[in-house]
Amino acid sequence: MRQGPVVVVLAAGRGVRFRSGRSARAHKLEQPFGDSTVLETTLAHVIQSRLSVVVVTTEALQARVTATIAARDVVVLPGNGDEQPFGMGDSIAAGVTARSNASGWMVLPGDMPLVQPATLRAVAAAMPHHPVVYAQHRGRRGHPVAFAAELYSELARLSGDEGARRLVARYPAFGVEVPDGGVLLDVDTEQDLERLRGLHAAHAGEAAVD
């Protein structure tokens, strides 16, 4: 029996661009963000969506992930965060094969802490009708990107840094327009982090007023 869609959170990258910054020492996913960290904020939004989740990460980040997510829902890739031989394709394949009985998989990078629970639910709702679904904001494609169960064998064979772009190009893809600008925003540099922190603080302030 198949379970529902699963959110595959990618948290196994090295964050090379971020660590090249002058003051960046810790991994970008461990950087403070609001009352938490970048990764824990992303995971909190997934939990709030009430969708199933599996997190693909490394030994270096395992303890931080399992502080939020049950160990049974965490896939740890071998190697450490600095000498990680895996790319995004490998991470997607690991997450998908760990939940092979899902009705589909929503791929969400761990460095996108502004993606809202409602956005995840909106993409999940469109999944039964299309082989590929993605969130878009003002016509621009973002994350998460979701894949139907029929694409399992191709997702399971992914490797390297390309990720699933060729699958998005090969199959009919449907964009779900959302009011969530966070679907376009990730943390690649220290400048990105500061920008997202500002947006997060502004959103929290608006919520407090409401």
Side-chain angles (χ1 to χ4, degrees):
M1 181 177 178
R2 286 196 177 277
Q3 67 176 106
V6 173
V7 183
V8 179
V9 178
L10 308 181
R14 287 176 291 178
V16 175
R17 286 182 60 189
F18 188 88
R19 285 187 169 182
S20 65
R22 289 176 296 177
S23 61
R25 293 184 179 85
H27 195 286
K28 65 180 180 179
L29 297 179
E30 297 181 285
Q31 295 295 322
F33 197 83
D35 296 328
S36 186
T37 66
V38 170
L39 178 58
E40 288 166 330
T41 302
T42 301
L43 295 178
H45 289 162
V46 177
I47 292 169
Q48 290 165 24
S49 77
R50 298 188 178 180
L51 294 165
S52 297
V53 61
V54 61
V55 183
V56 182
T57 191
T58 61
E59 294 174 1
L61 293 174
Q62 181 179 6
R64 187 170 291 280
V65 174
T66 53
T68 304
I69 300 294
R72 65 176 180 274
D73 296 324
V74 179
V75 176
V76 180
L77 298 180
N80 60 57
D82 293 319
E83 298 178 359
Q84 167 65 283
F86 301 99
M88 183 180 290
D90 301 283
S91 293
I92 294 172
V96 167
T97 56
R99 293 294 182 272
S100 58
N101 64 333
S103 62
W105 305 270
M106 301 170 59
V107 176
L108 179 66
D111 65 349
M112 300 190 73
L114 297 187
V115 175
Q116 298 301 305
T119 294
L120 298 171
R121 291 192 293 267
V123 172
M127 289 176 66
H129 311 293
H130 308 276
V132 179
V133 180
Y134 57 86
Q136 68 177 31
H137 179 66
R138 297 180 179 177
R140 295 177 59 194
R141 189 173 76 196
H143 281 87
V145 181
F147 303 91
E150 65 198 72
L151 301 183
Y152 173 79
S153 59
E154 293 188 67
L155 291 165
R157 291 196 300 266
L158 290 177
S159 62
D161 293 326
E162 183 182 5
R165 290 179 185 174
R166 58 184 176 83
L167 297 185
V168 176
R170 181 183 305 168
Y171 293 96
F174 178 75
V176 177
E177 182 68 28
V178 295
D180 179 3
V183 303
L184 307 174
L185 303 173
D186 61 359
V187 178
D188 278 336
T189 66
E190 292 181 79
Q191 291 74 25
D192 293 337
L193 178 60
E194 290 305 317
R195 180 187 178 198
L196 267 64
R197 281 172 172 163
L199 292 170
H200 180 66
H203 179 76
E206 291 173 0
V209 171
D210 293 342

